[in-house]
Amino acid sequence: MDKTMILYRGSLKSCNYHCSYCPFSKHRGLQGEYDRDRQQWERFVESIFRRTQNGWKPGALMIVPYGEALIHSWYWEGLGRLAVLKSMEALGAQTNLSFPIEQSLDLYQKAGGRKEKLRLWATFHPEMTEAKVFAQRCECLLKEGVTLCAGAVGVPENLQNIRLLRQYLPKEIYLWINKMDGLKRPYTQKEQADFAEIDPLFLRELIPVKAAPCRCRGRFFVEGDGKIRSCNISPVRKENWYDLEGENGPDAYTCLALESVCSRKQCSCYLAYGGRSDAMNQILFGDYPLFRIPRNPKAVFLDIDGTLLLKEEQTDPIKTGRQRQNTGRLPEQTKRELELLRNQGTKLFFATSLPCEIAARRCREIWHLFEGGVFGGGGYVVWQGQEGVREKLYPINETYHQTLKELGESLGCRVLIYKKEALAYKITFLRPGKKGWKAKEGEEAVRQCQERCEKQVRGFLEGQCLEIVAAGAGKGEGVRVLCQWLGISPADAAAAGDSPEDQEMLRMCKNFPV
């Protein structure tokens, strides 16, 4: 599995800050504790090096300590060493930014680190530092080429300090607000509005997220002694990080990442819900959303079924093979986030196998936010921009319509032909009732379609449907055309989808599937 995200938490439980609300500020670390924490971290770093030599390719790592880790030199040296690994695309830590910037970056670079790989999650503590001083440190890191976000706990009494921080911070640094767990009452409507004005995504913190283990694959939470969890609040797995080293090379970690285990009912904090493979996490924050650094794409391409309109997870499809049932549910929070993207200038497009007219009915709540898209599996591409409408059709040659209709009916299917201006851009073989296609019979049907149409068409399966489009049509091709019309590179766009048909556009937009 590519793009694996690792969170690491050692035994460190001390901090150089003394905030009144934090239990770790009360504990003064002893030398023996520091020695133990350093040994754990160095062992962990070495274990990653050994595993990458055997072919494993971790994508990112973030240190999430109970105390403050980056005031200790060994963490910077370890991050620098890990940054040398080609597959390690991003590394960082949660921090209060109290470390000496020049000295720490020097340690990191001497160990082989590259500053462009660093990702810091910086937390503002009003009891310990002034907003202006904290913002200056953020700006200094930004000028050094370090990517970071800044944030604070949403304590109502600290609202003015947090507003000042937003005023002092460079505009390009995102300022997030975490909900206050110890508030012991709901936020008032005014408090919600005040914090959302600073952080437009603050309401994400207040909406319960139902746990979904199948969306937590590809991530590890590793503790100093080798205990493994899927996230910081999930149960400890039976496997230990250090016991896996001799087991089947990189396959052991791939299997472990695929078998996410969770007994929680809700994902109750950002380290839990922010690390899931939900589409909007990746659209808003990129391939490694746990760093909480916005992606700010110029355009977004979204599949509909299973991505925008959620499918109810009946069970784990990897273990049981059972399929997910579509509920057609658009989460209210997704609608808010799409509105936010639109308001900040991001252009929104659908990328779906649905015909345009059906997509419009299914997504009527949000249709006005989108400027067109790729419809019918790539057969019809449209952009409704300010300068007018641009369209491109990939029609199925009319001479093949009758032979495809006869083939579909011979297979016991209802044959649906979708047209634009009298040109067919998709033909569907629909199985009756709830009977889906088996892989082998679907492959044979596709082969017959291509044979009868002289390979001028291609086909793919989606549930009860065998979809047939022109040979050159596809979501990836549609995204390429739209980006060309927009005058942007696909790498400046973001995409999300959950089927094999989405793979090409995901690669083009440098995303990975949800």
Side-chain angles (χ1 to χ4, degrees), residues 274-285:
R276 292 164 38 139
S277 60
D278 298 354
M280 291 310 295
N281 279 346
Q282 294 182 31
I283 293 298
L284 293 166
F285 295 104

Side-chain angles (χ1 to χ4, degrees), residues 293-358:
I293 296 170
R295 182 175 186 178
N296 299 322
K298 294 179 180 178
V300 167
F301 301 93
L302 288 163
D303 178 39
I304 294 177
D305 287 336
T307 302
L308 278 175
L309 303 183
L310 295 185
K311 295 175 182 177
E312 194 68 31
E313 302 291 346
Q314 296 290 323
T315 186
D316 188 328
I318 284 182
K319 290 184 177 179
T320 67
R322 290 176 60 184
Q323 298 296 313
R324 297 176 289 179
Q325 302 299 312
N326 181 31
T327 65
R329 180 171 61 86
L330 176 70
E332 187 63 30
Q333 184 62 17
T334 298
K335 184 178 178 182
R336 289 196 194 98
E337 289 162 358
L338 291 171
E339 290 171 345
L340 174 65
L341 285 166
R342 174 67 183 264
N343 291 337
Q344 74 181 24
T346 299
K347 296 185 180 297
L348 304 179
F349 296 94
F350 296 105
T352 177
S353 61
L354 295 174
C356 188
E357 59 271 25
I358 294 178

Side-chain angles (χ1 to χ4, degrees), residues 13-283:
K13 289 184 173 63
S14 61
C15 184
N16 58 330
Y17 275 11
H18 308 292
C19 304
S20 61
Y21 54 83
C22 178
F24 306 110
S25 67
K26 313 296 189 297
H27 177 71
R28 184 178 297 276
L30 301 174
Q31 188 58 48
E33 293 172 337
Y34 293 144
D35 291 343
R36 178 169 177 256
D37 183 68
R38 180 172 190 162
Q39 290 164 7
Q40 288 179 336
W41 168 244
E42 290 176 349
R43 182 189 184 196
F44 177 71
V45 170
E46 288 298 327
S47 74
I48 292 180
F49 263 90
R50 286 194 299 273
R51 293 161 194 222
T52 56
Q53 289 172 0
N54 292 328
W56 188 47
K57 296 180 179 180
L61 180 140
M62 181 164 68
I63 301 162
V64 287
Y66 275 134
E68 175 56 40
L70 295 191
I71 56 173
H72 301 294
S73 62
W74 55 88
Y75 279 105
W76 286 103
E77 291 164 350
L79 287 172
R81 289 197 64 208
L82 291 173
V84 173
L85 297 172
K86 187 175 180 180
S87 73
M88 196 69 81
E89 298 176 339
L91 306 103
Q94 292 178 331
T95 174
N96 61 25
L97 287 193
S98 61
F99 55 85
I101 292 176
E102 185 177 346
Q103 178 184 340
S104 299
L105 291 180
D106 187 54
L107 284 171
Y108 172 74
Q109 289 180 291
K110 283 181 177 177
R114 291 160 46 192
K115 286 188 283 188
E116 63 268 25
K117 285 192 175 186
L118 270 178
R119 304 285 186 272
L120 297 182
W121 162 319
T123 304
F124 172 56
H125 297 276
E127 293 182 21
M128 298 302 300
T129 186
E130 296 178 2
K132 189 172 185 178
V133 173
F134 184 85
Q136 287 171 341
R137 296 184 65 78
C138 289
E139 187 170 11
C140 178
L141 285 161
L142 199 63
K143 288 178 179 177
E144 288 282 350
V146 176
T147 307
L148 73 157
C149 65
V153 178
V155 180
E157 291 76 17
N158 290 341
L159 178 61
Q160 188 54 34
N161 269 325
I162 298 172
R163 278 179 172 151
L164 280 174
L165 179 58
R166 177 66 279 173
Q167 178 184 326
Y168 291 131
L169 278 173
K171 290 182 180 180
E172 58 265 45
I173 295 180
Y174 168 54
L175 177 59
W176 47 264
I177 310 293
N178 270 355
K179 68 180 178 183
M180 181 181 175
D181 289 333
L183 190 59
K184 297 181 180 178
R185 64 168 176 82
Y187 284 95
T188 66
Q189 289 295 317
K190 185 176 186 310
E191 288 167 348
Q192 290 183 37
D194 286 339
F195 283 125
E197 185 179 4
I198 299 167
D199 174 10
L201 297 174
F202 174 65
L203 294 181
R204 284 184 126 216
E205 285 281 292
L206 307 183
I207 299 172
V209 179
K210 184 179 178 181
C214 64
R215 292 188 175 269
C216 293
R217 300 187 180 104
R219 61 191 294 203
F220 295 109
F221 184 94
V222 184
E223 298 181 20
D225 58 4
K227 291 188 181 74
I228 304 174
R229 307 173 189 267
S230 294
C231 76
N232 58 312
I233 60 173
S234 66
V236 174
R237 305 285 296 271
K238 66 179 183 295
E239 303 90 349
N240 185 281
W241 182 260
Y242 299 105
D243 292 340
L244 291 172
E245 290 197 46
E247 295 185 16
N248 303 319
D251 292 342
Y253 318 122
T254 300
C255 292
L256 189 64
L258 286 172
E259 297 174 357
S260 180
V261 175
C262 185
S263 58
R264 305 281 299 199
K265 292 183 178 179
Q266 292 183 351
C267 301
S268 57
C269 70
Y270 189 80
L271 288 184
Y273 77 79
R276 292 164 38 139
S277 60
D278 298 354
M280 291 310 295
N281 279 346
Q282 294 182 31
I283 293 298

